Structure formats: structure tokens, C-alpha cells
Amino acid sequence: MSAGGSFGGNRGLRPVPPEKGVFPLDHMHLCDLEKKEYLNCLKTSGHQSEKCRHLSKKYLQCRMEKNLMAKQDMAELGFGNLSQPSLPGDKLEQV
């Protein structure tokens, strides 16, 4: 049997975190209001996320302001033309 064993894998390598997808949890509830507004909007709109995009943007902005995620241009996150109405099937519709 190898030194790593069945459960340990290769212990000599350090894990590398992914560039995106991992961010601190909001243990202090700094963005709870924004999160609740977004989730309520999803619930009342029948989970049609395009109707709640403005609240999704607000939530992400809160997380960036409170250092709960890396600051990033909102256009890179798909919010480039949020003020303009989107057509169904538009790539910006996908959150």
C-alpha cells in the first residue's frame, strides 16, 4: 500500500483554492437584509430570477462592500446593462 493510503491521497501537495466559487460565509449577517429581499423576490416571482436581478446585484454589492467577496466590476458578473430591459433569452438574463 502507498504512503498516501486509500483515504489520504497524496499528502505532499498543498491544496490550491479555486479562483471563484469560495467566499466567506456571512456569519455576522452583514448582508441579511439584501439576501432576504432577493429570496422574497424569487419566491413571489415564481423563481423567475430575471425579475429579481436588481436585488441580486444589490446583494453582491453588499458582499463586496463588507469584504465577503473580492471586489469585481459588476459588468464582469453579468450586470453590465441592468438598467435596460432585457429580451427573453438574452445572455445577461442568466444569473
Side-chain angles (χ1 to χ4, degrees):
M1 185 179 267
S2 66
S6 298
F7 300 104
N10 188 349
R11 300 266 183 192
L13 298 175
R14 292 185 57 194
V16 179
E19 283 187 40
K20 292 184 184 253
V22 177
F23 46 85
L25 296 176
D26 189 3
H27 293 293
M28 302 301 289
H29 307 283
L30 302 173
C31 296
D32 264 8
L33 177 63
E34 291 82 356
K35 177 181 75 174
K36 288 176 183 178
E37 286 176 338
Y38 176 66
L39 292 175
N40 284 336
C41 179
L42 284 177
K43 193 176 198 179
T44 59
S45 70
H47 297 280
Q48 295 179 5
S49 62
E50 66 274 1
K51 293 183 179 181
C52 306
R53 284 180 47 78
H54 64 288
L55 295 172
S56 176
K57 180 179 179 179
K58 184 177 172 184
Y59 174 65
L60 292 174
Q61 287 173 325
C62 177
R63 289 190 60 85
M64 285 188 253
E65 289 168 7
K66 308 291 185 189
N67 293 318
L68 294 170
M69 66 182 282
K71 292 185 182 342
Q72 194 170 356
D73 188 320
M74 293 308 287
E76 292 176 14
L77 297 173
F79 294 100
N81 295 327
L82 186 58
S83 61
Q84 298 175 356
S86 303
L87 298 174
D90 188 351
K91 290 183 180 179
L92 291 177
E93 292 276 326
Q94 301 169 4
V95 176

